[in-house]
Amino acid sequence: KSHESKPVAWGYEGDIGPCNWHKYFPKAGGKRQSPIDIDTSATQYDGSFKPLRIHYDSHMCSSLTNNGHTFCMSVNSDQCNLSGGPLEDKYRLLQFHCHWGSDDTKGSEHTVDGHQYAAELHLVHWNTDKFKSADEAIEKNQGIAVLTAFIKAGKEHRGWNHVLSHFKDIKKVQGTSTVNEDFNPKCLLPENQTDYWTYEGSLTTPPCHESVRFIIFKEVVEVSSEQLAQFRSLCVCSSRKRDTGEDEHLVDNFRPIQPLNGRVVKASFQ
Ligand SMILES: CCCCCOc1ccc(S(N)(=O)=O)cc1
Ligand SMILES: [Zn+2]
């Protein structure tokens, strides 16, 4: 009888925080970890990239969950595909989620010349040419491609309201809400989809598999401060109460930047 190992608790602060992840998740101490700082003076222009091809349909029914680490919109459409750019294969959208801070001055995982943004959107895709399932691809080199957009406080973003309107249903951990309306996650990306940085890294949360090609758009997306505050309305654990009896809110769910270890960040633009 195979005894499934008990899931190990991890988080973003204290003993279970990022500095100790490697004790139970050894890959967290690897040589190609994410996130990283993008030093724009050291990026290398690569003129060989073909145009990025992002084809999402909006008739995908999906479900929104609070997994205790972020909100996750899982997508089950075989029509949401990504290819081109630095990618050799075709990738299918699996889910998208974000990382954010406790205020508008921090929250993104990657930084640009040391600047941290208020939040960061990750659209997670798996390689359907090389692997038979996302579970297989998630731990293999070239298995995962993550489209990434930085988010800053500014004008309201109407597209995000289609996601935020479901947050009241997922305030508590393991809350789930089904999203059926016509929503195309492409609306969450910046207008300019030709200028991006790309490098090879890892999942930014345990088990930190070194399977990810990051594609990070240069143009920053604006959402309002009120919309950012709605990200922070999610609760971490329904059971765990602060001594004030208040629920603990899910904030600062970003991993610190990791050593580049000689990796070169490529740029699609000069
Ligand atoms: C073996 C099960 C793995 C489940 C976790 O999957 C992940 C974790 C992190 C990312 S992220 N922040 O790097 O986009 C994407 C997907
Ligand atoms: Zn992420």
Side-chain angles (χ1 to χ4, degrees):
K1 181 170 175 296
S2 75
H3 291 278
E4 291 292 305
S5 58
K6 221 159 82 75
V8 171
W10 60 270
Y12 289 95
E13 58 181 2
D15 292 347
I16 60 171
C19 300
N20 289 330
W21 288 356
H22 68 95
K23 293 176 183 166
Y24 286 98
F25 305 99
K27 294 180 183 173
K31 291 272 178 257
R32 52 168 280 190
Q33 290 290 294
S34 295
I36 58 168
D37 177 51
I38 297 167
D39 173 351
T40 57
S41 70
T43 57
Q44 278 183 19
Y45 169 64
D46 186 325
S48 76
F49 293 154
K50 293 193 276 304
L52 208 45
R53 297 157 49 85
I54 308 171
H55 297 297
Y56 295 159
D57 73 348
S58 52
H59 308 297
M60 42 160 229
C61 112
S62 41
S63 67
L64 189 65
T65 302
N66 171 351
N67 62 22
H69 306 297
T70 182
F71 68 84
C72 187
M73 178 82 89
S74 46
V75 170
N76 62 358
S77 161
D78 52 3
Q79 305 304 314
C80 293
N81 293 303
L82 168 69
S83 60
L87 302 170
E88 290 164 16
D89 299 314
K90 192 162 92 169
Y91 290 72
R92 180 176 303 165
L93 181 62
L94 176 67
Q95 52 106 323
F96 68 85
H97 64 271
C98 281
H99 304 261
W100 59 89
S102 42
D103 63 58
D104 295 357
T105 67
K106 56 185 170 175
S108 67
E109 298 211 288
H110 292 86
T111 54
V112 180
D113 295 334
H115 178 79
Q116 188 174 24
Y117 291 93
E120 184 169 324
L121 166 66
H122 288 158
L123 289 146
V124 183
H125 306 72
W126 64 280
N127 187 327
T128 52
D129 283 345
K130 282 203 166 69
F131 305 108
K132 291 192 289 296
S133 72
D135 283 349
E136 182 190 356
I138 200 103
E139 54 185 66
K140 301 284 194 326
N141 183 35
Q142 297 188 334
I144 299 293
V146 176
L147 278 188
T148 299
F150 293 117
I151 294 172
K152 69 179 181 186
K155 60 182 190 300
E156 183 189 6
H157 191 296
R158 311 288 297 270
W160 267 107
N161 288 333
H162 288 286
V163 181
L164 293 168
S165 63
H166 293 269
F167 270 36
K168 55 188 175 310
D169 304 331
I170 62 163
K171 202 168 150 52
K172 297 282 185 205
V173 177
Q174 306 318 343
T176 295
S177 168
T178 304
V179 180
N180 278 317
E181 72 227 41
D182 251 10
F183 171 69
N184 189 329
K186 209 172 171 189
C187 75
L188 304 178
L189 295 178
E191 275 168 35
N192 178 345
Q193 295 170 17
T194 53
D195 292 357
Y196 55 82
W197 298 288
T198 185
Y199 78 99
E200 293 190 325
S202 74
L203 301 181
T204 66
T205 67
C208 300
H209 292 312
E210 298 189 326
S211 56
V212 183
R213 158 70 60 176
F214 273 96
I215 295 170
I216 304 167
F217 293 113
K218 182 183 70 172
E219 185 183 316
V220 183
V221 171
E222 284 189 28
V223 306
S224 70
S225 241
E226 291 73 21
Q227 288 178 305
L228 279 165
Q230 283 191 263
F231 281 14
R232 305 180 193 118
S233 69
L234 297 184
C235 296
V236 191
C237 301
S238 46
S239 56
R240 183 166 152 190
K241 288 253 186 270
R242 286 261 192 229
D243 41 19
T244 58
E246 286 304 303
D247 270 339
E248 182 176 354
H249 284 181
L250 175 49
V251 294
D252 292 331
N253 54 352
F254 56 89
R255 186 188 191 184
I257 55 170
Q258 302 298 305
L260 199 50
N261 292 321
R263 288 173 284 178
V264 172
V265 178
K266 298 276 182 70
S268 70
F269 60 98
Q270 284 180 319

